[in-house]
Amino acid sequence: MVPPTSQNGSPRSKWLKLAWLVPAALGLLLLVVLAARGLRGLPAVQSFIRDYPGEPALLAGTAEGFTVATAVQHFLNSFLILFVIRTGWQIRTAVRPSAFWTRNNTGLVRTPHPPIRIGLPTWFHLTVNSAWVLNGLVFYVLIFVTGEWRRLVPVSWDVFPHAISAGIQYASLEWPVVDGWVNYNGLQLLTYFITVFVAAPISVLTGLRISPGFAARLRRLDRVFPLGVARTVHFWCMLWFVGFIAVHLTLVLTTGALRNLNHMYAVRDDQAWIGFLMFAGSIVVMIVAWIGATPRVLAAVAARGGTIRR
């Protein structure tokens, strides 16, 4: 198939159609900042921020800081979710939803719809998802054993006004003053809670619902939870994770990068460079793994489990 070309004969990049999103996003961000700064000038809003500075109450006995196990889990989750998102997007863009996923990639698969050629990212997606789920289960056990769940679960309704206050402060580019080693602000708390205890389980359940093995055995659910709905929810969960990662990383690097990175990588509360160096090392590992996970490498790995028809 010949790729579409522009009028001058050069290949037409699909990304050019999305170029307008960059100035649009910057313009929207500027409007949000201006609106937030305007709000902060109002006496009522100033009083609201004084009453709810952003830091909700913690349960008595909540320990400060993080554990080494949490730091390790943080890296493993970051590493795995990178490939969960990558392979999921590859499948969405290259494979029609009715395709049957198979590790051996045996070419054309008969489905109720026209035959579709399956891509290598399908079995890789299932593999990294399994590892991600296993890592998540270990994380759940650890946070409840160590008591760190107390920092991730809202315990009072005042988390909502604190979250609104923190949102206004972030949007006005005057960050809420909260010590992340001790507690999270209300917006962080709600975001982390949704990510860990809502988005992640929903992503796993919808992933199981649309996986061919389970879909074939759960046809009774087609009326109450159709595959199309499950796929849509699964996709929106992916968008949530992408947005969370982008905002989370931006704030980590702009609200005291050295200290924040020490918290989650070096498990210490200071301004040393060790956390940054560990973070940089983890980025290098991810880049190497990203480059290594090319179709040719995946084909070689998949070939060990069976013959791949090209």
Side-chain angles (χ1 to χ4, degrees), residues 263-284:
H263 288 175
M264 288 311 304
Y265 283 88
V267 195
R268 52 193 290 172
D269 185 30
D270 57 29
Q271 298 284 340
W273 283 84
I274 184 172
F276 176 83
L277 294 176
M278 296 174 69
F279 167 72
S282 71
I283 295 298
V284 171

Side-chain angles (χ1 to χ4, degrees), residues 72-84 132 135 245 248 265 282 286:
V72 173
Q73 290 291 315
H74 184 267
F75 165 71
L76 291 176
N77 181 71
S78 302
F79 180 84
L80 293 170
I81 196 68
L82 179 70
F83 292 97
V84 169
W132 180 67
N135 183 70
I245 293 169
H248 177 64
Y265 283 88
S282 71
M286 292 180 187

Side-chain angles (χ1 to χ4, degrees), residues 142-158:
L142 286 174
I143 62 174
F144 283 104
V145 169
T146 62
E148 290 190 60
W149 66 269
R150 296 166 179 264
R151 302 184 61 187
L152 295 173
V153 178
V155 296
S156 64
W157 291 106
D158 70 347

